[in-house]
Amino acid sequence: MLDTVRYLVGSAGSSGFGSKSTAEEVTDASPDLRSITAIITGATSGIGAETARVLAMRGARLVLPARSLKAALEMKARITREFPCSEIIVLPLDLSSLSSVRSFVARFLSLKLPLNLLINNAGRFSYNYAVSEDGIEMTFATNYLGHFLLTKLLMEKMAETARTTGIEGRIVNVSSGIHSWFSGDCLRYLDLVKRRKTPYDGTRAYAVSKLANVLHTMELAERLKQMSANVTANCVHPGVVRTRLTRDREGFLTDLAFFTASKLLKTIPQVMRRRPTVSHVYFLSSAQLFRRSLWLQAAATTCYAAVHPAVTGTTGKYFADCNESSPSAAAACRLAAPRLWSASEAMVADTTQDLTPQRVCG
C-alpha cells in the first residue's frame, strides 16, 4: 500500500528519483555520452522515441532498427533538427522475423562500430491470434524471441567493446508490471494456444512475453558473468502510459481509459508546463504535448538503467520508477530462467521442428 501511495504522489526513492521524474532529469548525471554507441529497438514512437531523443541530446551515437524505414527516417530527422550534431544510423529490422534479426546483426557488424548499449524496447500487442513467419505466436516472437536472438548475436560484440574501451556495457530489457499477470508455464501456455487447447487472450499473451523478458534478463546477467564480460543486464517497468501498442484498438473507449489512467498515475512535469522550446515544435496539439510529457516520464527508468552512474556494476535487477524493485514470484524463479533460455536457443536455431514445451516454472 505504501509503495502505491509513493507511486501516485511521485515521491523519490533511494535513487533520488520517482514516478514523476523525466528522462532528461535522470540523465543530468551523464551529460556527455559521445563515447557511447547505442542500439534502441522500437524508437520510432512513444517511449522508445523519447529514449532516443534524450540519449541523442546527451551526445550518444544511435542505431535505430525499424520495420518501417520511413518512420525511422522521420524520427532521425526530428532528432537532428533539434540536435544537428547527432549521429543516427537507420537499419531495417523486423523483430518478429528471425532471418531479419540475423540480417540486421550482419549489417550492423559490417559497420565496424563499437556497441556499448543495447535497449530492447520494441513491443507489440496482438488482440487476435497470429503467428510469425517462423511459426511463433506473434506477441511472443516480437516482444521476446526476436530480442533474445538479437541480444545473443550481439553479446560478444558488447563484451569486446567493453574490453577495448574500458566502458561498462549495458543491456536494458523493457518489460512491464503486467508480467505479474501470468504465473504459469510460458511455453506450455503458448503450446496450448497453438494447438487450440485454450482460447487466445491478447492480454495474457502480452503478459507471457513480458514475463519472458524478465526471465531472459536474469539468465543473461548470469551468462555475462560467466563470460567475465564487463556488461550488465537489467530490465525495467516503464509505468502505465499509452503508446502505439494499442494502435489496433483506437477509439473513444480506449482514449478515455488511457486518459483516466494517465490522470491518476502521471502528471505533466513542470518542464512541459513551460513555454515550448524548439524541441517541442513537432508535437503540434495539446493532446500530443500531454502524451509526450508522459513518455518523458515513462522513458526515465529506461534511461536511468542505461546510463546513470549509480547503476554501474548492477546486473540482473528489475527497476521501476528509477529504483530497484521486486518482480513477481514467477519472474524470480531460478529454475525458470535457464529453462526458458535453453528452449529459446532451440527455437531460434531451428523453428521447423515440433518442439516439446518444457516446464518453465511450477
Side-chain angles (χ1 to χ4, degrees), residues 32 79 88 115 144 162 225 245-246 283 291 329:
D32 187 356
I79 293 175
I88 302 174
L115 180 57
Y144 166 70
K225 288 178 184 177
L245 282 173
T246 60
F283 293 87
R291 188 176 298 175

Side-chain angles (χ1 to χ4, degrees), residues 22-342:
T22 69
E24 292 182 359
E25 291 169 351
V26 303
T27 57
D28 280 342
S30 307
D32 187 356
L33 298 179
R34 285 176 294 179
S35 61
I36 300 299
T37 298
I39 292 176
I40 309 172
T41 68
T44 58
S45 65
I47 298 169
E50 283 306 312
T51 301
R53 188 189 71 82
V54 171
L55 293 185
M57 178 182 73
R58 302 301 185 190
R61 176 198 286 129
L62 304 182
V63 178
L64 305 184
R67 185 173 55 177
S68 169
L69 290 181
K70 178 182 178 183
L73 290 171
E74 288 174 352
M75 191 64 221
K76 175 181 177 179
R78 291 172 181 174
I79 293 175
T80 53
R81 279 200 300 270
E82 186 175 358
F83 309 112
C85 295
S86 300
E87 184 178 353
I88 302 174
I89 299 165
V90 171
L91 294 174
L93 171 63
D94 179 353
L95 280 163
S96 71
S97 164
L98 298 178
S99 63
S100 178
V101 173
R102 292 189 177 93
S103 295
F104 166 80
V105 172
R107 288 189 180 97
F108 173 76
L109 294 178
S110 71
L111 298 176
K112 306 297 183 183
L113 294 173
L115 180 57
N116 310 92
L117 179 58
L118 173 61
I119 300 178
N120 293 319
N121 166 82
R124 179 190 182 106
F125 190 116
S126 296
Y127 285 84
N128 300 312
Y129 180 70
V131 296
S132 70
E133 65 183 38
D134 303 292
I136 309 298
E137 189 276 319
M138 190 62 78
T139 300
F140 188 82
T142 306
N143 296 358
Y144 166 70
L145 196 62
H147 282 129
F148 171 85
L149 179 59
L150 177 67
T151 304
K152 187 173 186 291
L153 295 177
L154 291 173
M155 283 171 62
E156 185 52 49
K157 164 56 73 173
M158 295 195 70
E160 175 191 329
T161 299
R163 283 194 301 268
T164 57
T165 64
I167 301 173
E168 178 185 83
R170 296 189 187 184
I171 300 170
V172 180
N173 289 332
V174 179
S175 181
S176 169
I178 293 174
H179 81 270
S180 64
W181 294 9
F182 184 86
S183 59
D185 184 334
C186 298
L187 298 180
R188 175 66 176 165
Y189 169 75
L190 293 172
D191 180 62
L192 290 173
V193 169
K194 185 175 182 178
R195 293 192 290 115
R196 302 292 196 273
K197 298 294 185 179
T198 191
Y200 179 77
D201 182 291
T203 302
R204 194 169 175 81
Y206 184 76
V208 166
S209 72
K210 291 304 176 178
L211 173 57
N213 288 151
V214 183
L215 293 171
H216 174 217
T217 303
M218 305 311 169
E219 182 63 13
L220 176 61
E222 291 301 315
R223 290 179 181 253
L224 288 167
K225 288 178 184 177
Q226 293 170 14
M227 291 170 57
S228 298
N230 185 23
V231 180
T232 63
N234 293 292
C235 57
V236 303
H237 164 52
V240 178
V241 63
R242 184 178 182 180
T243 72
R244 290 187 65 201
L245 282 173
T246 60
R247 60 183 172 269
D248 293 336
R249 285 294 185 274
E250 297 296 321
F252 173 75
L253 292 178
T254 304
D255 290 339
L256 180 61
F258 274 91
F259 178 77
T260 302
S262 296
K263 283 294 188 181
L264 288 172
L265 302 178
K266 301 284 186 180
T267 58
I268 301 176
Q270 291 298 322
V271 68
M272 299 307 296
R273 292 188 180 125
R274 296 197 298 263
R275 181 180 176 182
T277 63
V278 174
S279 67
H280 306 143
V281 168
Y282 58 88
F283 293 87
L284 301 178
S285 71
S286 59
Q288 288 172 317
L289 188 61
F290 175 79
R291 188 176 298 175
R292 185 192 171 185
S293 73
L294 302 182
W295 289 337
L296 275 166
Q297 293 172 343
T301 307
T302 300
C303 289
Y304 179 78
V307 300
H308 200 282
V311 188
T312 301
T314 301
T315 192
K317 301 299 183 180
Y318 178 80
F319 287 84
D321 303 323
C322 303
N323 288 274
E324 281 190 39
S325 186
S326 299
S328 68
C333 178
R334 288 298 176 184
L335 294 177
R339 288 174 180 171
L340 177 62
W341 185 287
S342 296

